[in-house]
């Protein structure tokens, strides 16, 4: 049976969850140690009460009863929890069993896996991060970097600085598929010796049949210049991906979302230094039928689950590519698997999945993609946001909130989500 939250504690314990590279413990320790020392800007700083820090890098899912019980036992003693994005969900069934929890920290300002209403009812403060802290704050420089002064060149430099890692990763997946890097590199490294000679234009020596190396140039690349890039969700990330496609590769950009208008698309283009009309808004069916590459950047909500389903996949060209770096459930899993299994599209690039971490024994890891008529599949383990620079900044923001919470309670917590 759950119990009421305890009074504000005199001692504090912090549990860090889902930090796969174990980057955060020394960052928390350093930042909190640094903040213990009064500085010239804060001469009245007081020492922290006792604080212990523990890290649990292995993710447990509360959706499984046995894992939920283990997770409750693991987290029950802690007053503060740091979690990374949506790796460990915090539904009501978990929150109601954590009577000591007072502060729940996440990264970013949106985390659909936290039951915010349940947290509010329990008196648990939930706070996120904005990425506004300098990544080099390990040295104590907590001020955001100054904006560049006016001028067209400076504005372009500022846009380049704000290019999101997820947008970069989107292009990594696009290029891995369209240039066949993900297919050809392992083939060259792990292909088998064979007696079949490799094709050559050199004069015959009579010894070609002795040895050859396969495979070699087993498919075609897709030049992107003049091709159509379809953006599903023209927000900040979608717009950045679209701009790169337009300026970097000479692609034609079309976009769709349920509420997107041409005026909104023009405003997005202008914000990126592009003229109105750079992004063309079309109907959903036209986007999927016309695009050579479809990139999904939708916000996940109950309404958007399965926004790419059997019908949309059937609309796509047989040689087109689908990229998803947003959220796994935006694409219908069964429909996608069936489509790829019969070679319905050219391929897919996935950085997000329906269950994370992706199960070791399962159809996505176990299928021989790109063979026997199946589509190509390139996967990465939700790496779109996983840069050391970004994680250091987020954990630094969380450390500031730990200090603020302990010293000033709720008033000391920035970026509250409750």
């Amino acid at each position: 049976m759950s119990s009421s939250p305890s009074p504000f504690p005199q001692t504090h314990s912090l549990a860090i969850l889902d930090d796969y590279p174990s980057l955060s413990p020394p960052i928390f320790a350093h930042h909190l140690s640094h903040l213990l020392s009064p500085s010239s800007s804060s001469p009245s700083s007081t020492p922290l009460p006792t604080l212990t820090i523990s890290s649990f890098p292995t993710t447990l899912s509360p959706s499984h009863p046995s894992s939920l019980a283990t997770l409750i036992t693991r987290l029950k003693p802690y007053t503060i929890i740091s979690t990374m994005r949506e790796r460990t969900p915090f539904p009501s069934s978990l929150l109601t069993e954590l009577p000591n929890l007072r502060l729940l920290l996440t990264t970013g300002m949106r985390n659909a896996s936290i039951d915010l209403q349940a947290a509010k009812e329990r008196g648990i403060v939930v706070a996120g991060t904005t990425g506004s802290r300098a990544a080099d704050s390990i040295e104590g420089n907590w001020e955001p970097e100054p904006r560049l002064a006016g001028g067209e060149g400076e504005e372009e430099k500022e846009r380049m600085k704000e290019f999101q890692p997820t947008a970069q990763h989107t292009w990594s997946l696009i290029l891995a598929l369209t240039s066949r890097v993900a297919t050809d590199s392992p083939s060259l490294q792990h292909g088998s010796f064979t007696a079949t000679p490799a094709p050559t234009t050199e004069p015959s020596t009579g010894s070609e049949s002795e040895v050859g190396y396969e495979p070699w140039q087993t498919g075609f690349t897709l030049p992107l210049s003049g091709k159509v890039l379809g953006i599903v969700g023209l927000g900040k990330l979608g717009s950045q991906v679209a701009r790169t496609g337009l300026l970097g590769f000479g692609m034609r950009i079309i976009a769709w979302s349920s509420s997107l208008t041409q005026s909104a698309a023009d405003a997005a283009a202008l914000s990126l230094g592009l003229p109105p009309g750079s992004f063309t808004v079309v109907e959903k069916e036209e986007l999927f039928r016309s695009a050579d590459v479809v990139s999904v950047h939708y916000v996940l909500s109950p309404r958007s689950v399965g926004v790419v389903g059997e019908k949309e996949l059937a609309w796509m060209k047989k040689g087109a590519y689908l990229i998803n770096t947003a959220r796994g459930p935006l694409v219908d899993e069964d429909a996608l698997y069936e489509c790829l299994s019969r070679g319905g599209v050219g391929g897919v690039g996935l950085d997000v999945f329906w269950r994370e971490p992706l199960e070791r024994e399962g159809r996505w890891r176990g299928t021989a993609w790109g063979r026997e008529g199946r589509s190509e599949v390139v996967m990465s383990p939700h790496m779109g946001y996983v840069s050391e620079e970004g994680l250091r900044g987020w954990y630094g923001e969380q450390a500031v909130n730990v200090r603020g919470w302990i010293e000033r309670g709720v008033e000391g917590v920035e970026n509250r989500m409750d």
Side-chain angles (χ1 to χ4, degrees):
M1 180 180 296
S2 61
S3 57
S4 301
S6 59
F8 194 83
Q10 297 302 308
T11 60
H12 302 267
S13 52
L14 166 64
I16 304 169
L17 306 186
D18 309 320
D19 175 15
Y20 300 152
S22 297
L23 180 69
S24 61
I27 294 177
F28 271 104
H30 183 92
H31 284 312
L32 294 172
S33 175
H34 168 75
L35 291 171
L36 277 171
S37 302
S39 65
S40 56
S41 61
S42 181
S44 61
S45 178
T46 57
L48 278 171
T50 302
L51 173 66
T52 59
I53 301 176
S54 304
S55 181
F56 302 97
T58 302
T59 298
L60 295 175
S61 173
S63 62
H64 303 291
S66 61
S67 294
L68 175 60
T70 303
L71 197 56
I72 291 171
T73 301
R74 171 185 289 180
L75 299 180
K76 207 163 194 173
Y78 291 93
T79 61
I80 305 169
I81 294 176
S82 160
T83 185
M84 173 57 64
R85 298 289 286 258
E86 298 169 3
R87 292 176 180 175
T88 294
F90 280 82
S92 175
S93 58
L94 175 58
L95 291 171
T96 55
E97 299 298 330
L98 303 178
N100 296 309
L101 179 60
R102 306 303 301 274
L103 177 64
L104 179 57
L105 302 169
T106 185
T107 50
M109 289 302 296
R110 183 187 294 121
N111 189 332
S113 68
I114 296 177
D115 188 330
L116 294 177
Q117 182 59 38
K120 183 177 181 180
E121 292 172 357
R122 298 283 304 157
I124 300 168
V125 176
V126 181
T129 61
T130 62
S132 62
R133 300 292 185 184
D136 63 351
S137 56
I138 194 79
E139 301 300 331
N141 173 22
W142 288 103
E143 294 302 319
E145 295 183 25
R147 307 288 292 185
L148 294 173
E152 184 175 347
E154 286 76 9
E155 290 178 358
E156 179 63 19
K157 290 178 182 177
E158 193 63 38
R159 279 192 289 269
M160 292 172 64
K161 285 172 57 181
E162 293 177 350
F163 194 81
Q164 297 296 305
T166 302
Q168 173 183 314
H169 198 70
T170 298
W171 277 103
S172 296
L173 293 174
I174 293 173
L175 296 175
L177 283 164
T178 59
S179 296
R180 293 183 54 83
V181 174
T183 301
D184 290 341
S185 179
S187 293
L188 287 174
Q189 294 181 58
H190 307 296
S192 59
F193 256 151
T194 173
T196 305
T200 179
T201 58
E202 297 298 321
S204 174
T205 64
S207 62
E208 288 87 349
S209 61
E210 293 179 3
V211 69
Y213 198 72
E214 289 189 345
W216 184 263
Q217 296 181 354
T218 59
F220 300 99
T221 64
L222 177 68
L224 294 175
S225 178
K227 297 300 191 294
V228 178
L229 173 61
I231 302 294
V232 178
L234 194 67
K236 184 175 183 178
L237 290 171
S239 297
Q240 289 184 350
V241 171
R243 184 176 188 267
T244 300
L246 178 68
L247 298 183
F249 296 96
M251 301 183 77
R252 183 165 70 88
I253 310 302
I254 59 177
W256 171 87
S257 72
S258 61
S259 59
L260 182 63
T261 63
Q262 187 59 52
S263 61
D266 290 342
L270 285 169
S271 72
L272 294 172
L274 301 173
S278 297
F279 309 148
T280 302
V281 177
V282 298
E283 295 297 323
K284 186 180 188 181
E285 182 174 353
E286 181 180 348
L287 183 143
F288 280 90
R289 289 191 182 279
S290 302
D292 298 287
V293 178
V294 175
S295 190
V296 180
H297 302 280
Y298 230 70
V299 174
L300 180 63
S301 70
R303 292 180 56 191
S304 64
V305 170
V307 68
V308 180
E310 181 180 2
K311 178 174 62 177
E312 290 76 16
L313 293 168
W315 286 338
M316 292 180 67
K317 301 176 183 179
K318 187 173 177 61
Y321 295 97
L322 176 69
I323 310 295
N324 187 9
T325 57
R327 290 294 185 273
L330 291 169
V331 180
D332 184 290
E333 179 181 8
D334 291 335
L336 180 62
Y337 186 86
E338 189 277 331
C339 176
L340 297 172
S341 295
R342 59 178 171 80
V345 295
V348 65
L350 299 175
D351 187 47
V352 290
F353 300 89
W354 303 268
R355 297 159 301 281
E356 296 184 12
L358 186 65
E359 59 269 20
R360 186 181 301 275
E361 304 295 334
R363 57 184 179 176
W364 290 102
R365 294 199 194 208
T367 301
W369 298 111
R371 301 178 186 177
E372 300 176 353
R374 302 181 191 92
S375 303
E376 297 288 351
V377 175
V378 174
M379 299 186 290
S380 55
H382 207 155
M383 294 297 291
Y385 67 96
V386 185
S387 70
E388 182 175 353
E389 179 180 2
L391 296 185
R392 283 186 178 276
W394 286 341
Y395 283 131
E397 287 186 69
Q398 289 189 350
V400 167
N401 269 336
V402 171
R403 174 62 181 264
W405 166 256
I406 293 174
E407 287 193 336
R408 304 191 304 279
V410 174
E411 297 302 318
V413 178
E414 301 176 356
N415 304 318
R416 288 175 55 188
M417 297 167 59
D418 55 340

